[in-house]
Amino acid sequence: ETGVTQSPTHLIKTRGQQVTLRCSSQSGHNTVSWYQQALGQGPQFIFQYYREEENGRGNFPPRFSGLQFPNYSSELNVNALELDDSALYLCASRFGGTKGTDTQYFGPGTRLTVL
Amino acid sequence: DAKTTQPNSMESNEEEPVHLPCNHSTISGTDYIHWYRQLPSQGPEYVIHGLTSNVNNRMASLAIAEDRKSSTLILHRATLRDAAVYYCILLRSNDYKLSFGAGTTVTVRA
């Protein structure tokens, strides 16, 4: 069974640029969530995708957007990068749509640095 | 969202038990108690969850107070690999987004 994978591992961008991060969900999982983890803090929920549609969003501006593909893999796009966007971006997958008791499986994350 | 309170850090010796407390005095009847941990340079990892009764799995045990206002994660024999940040999270049965606090940083001494 393949776990959650994310690419790239590390990324350096400059302020104002755009970035795309990728996530492959665990086999059999149809739901993907994205989290942002600033240094020294716990992860913060960005949004969730279920069957290719966003069905939940945290307190993040519209310049954070995403996609989910028919194979349930997902992308996180961030436009107009700001210095505060520097963080570890985590993807988590599960099978269950909105059911809250499901276990979420996290990938290793993508470390984004904005200069 | 109901809040949880955890100590900032705890230390343990290898092969000794570790008891990690979590207070959640505003918990509602439909809130599940979840524990995740995050090893250095890795994403969070599910540990255990429960609703009312104590729970055991291969990783840990979860002891839930009778009034559900507190719980304790028990690592029966700590190993160096258990050094991580442990997060106690409340999750409604119809919710899905995990609200991570600062967690408890566990250090295991050899």
Side-chain angles (χ1 to χ4, degrees):
Chain A
E1 185 178 84
T2 306
V4 179
T5 60
Q6 294 186 242
S7 62
T9 305
H10 296 87
L11 201 54
I12 299 175
K13 291 285 189 178
T14 57
R15 197 169 43 181
Q17 285 188 311
Q18 178 265 343
V19 69
T20 297
L21 310 181
R22 295 178 175 79
C23 170
S24 291
S25 59
Q26 186 161 315
S27 177
H29 288 183
N30 59 11
T31 304
V32 173
S33 299
W34 286 91
Y35 291 78
Q36 179 196 66
Q37 185 173 24
L39 203 58
Q41 298 182 23
Q44 300 299 308
F45 175 78
I46 302 175
F47 44 54
Q48 173 177 274
Y49 277 82
Y50 171 60
R51 293 186 176 178
E52 303 178 56
E53 292 197 2
E54 183 183 304
N55 74 339
R57 191 175 184 93
N59 189 26
F60 281 82
R63 60 189 185 83
F64 285 79
S65 63
L67 283 173
Q68 187 178 32
F69 301 99
N71 67 354
Y72 303 128
S73 65
S74 177
E75 285 183 355
L76 165 65
N77 299 291
V78 187
N79 294 322
L81 284 167
E82 301 177 358
L83 297 179
D84 285 348
D85 295 333
S86 294
L88 181 68
Y89 287 86
L90 296 159
C91 167
S93 78
R94 63 185 179 90
F95 182 81
T98 59
K99 187 176 178 183
T101 56
D102 295 333
T103 297
Q104 297 202 31
Y105 295 84
F106 285 80
T110 293
R111 172 70 64 188
L112 172 65
T113 302
V114 181
L115 302 176
Chain B
D1 293 339
K3 301 295 184 189
T4 63
T5 304
Q6 300 177 250
N8 289 334
S9 63
M10 292 190 74
E11 289 189 358
S12 174
N13 294 317
E14 204 174 7
E15 298 193 3
E16 289 185 356
V18 182
H19 292 241
L20 300 176
C22 180
N23 289 318
H24 28 78
S25 58
T26 59
I27 191 170
S28 75
T30 58
D31 284 339
Y32 283 79
I33 303 161
H34 285 248
W35 284 82
Y36 280 75
R37 72 180 184 181
Q38 188 170 19
L39 279 64
S41 302
Q42 295 188 27
E45 173 187 36
Y46 168 81
V47 178
I48 201 167
H49 79 274
L51 183 61
T52 56
S53 303
N54 294 344
V55 184
N56 299 296
N57 66 20
R58 64 175 180 81
M59 290 182 70
S61 296
L62 177 60
I64 301 173
E66 196 169 333
D67 63 5
R68 300 209 326 126
K69 292 186 176 181
S70 66
S71 60
T72 301
L73 178 71
I74 303 165
L75 308 178
H76 294 286
R77 291 184 65 194
T79 68
L80 296 178
R81 195 194 171 279
D82 292 321
V85 179
Y86 286 77
Y87 298 99
C88 171
I89 301 166
L90 300 183
L91 193 62
R92 295 261 160 96
S93 59
N94 62 350
D95 201 355
Y96 47 83
K97 58 182 185 296
L98 297 171
S99 297
F100 292 85
T104 297
T105 300
V106 171
T107 304
V108 180
R109 293 184 292 256

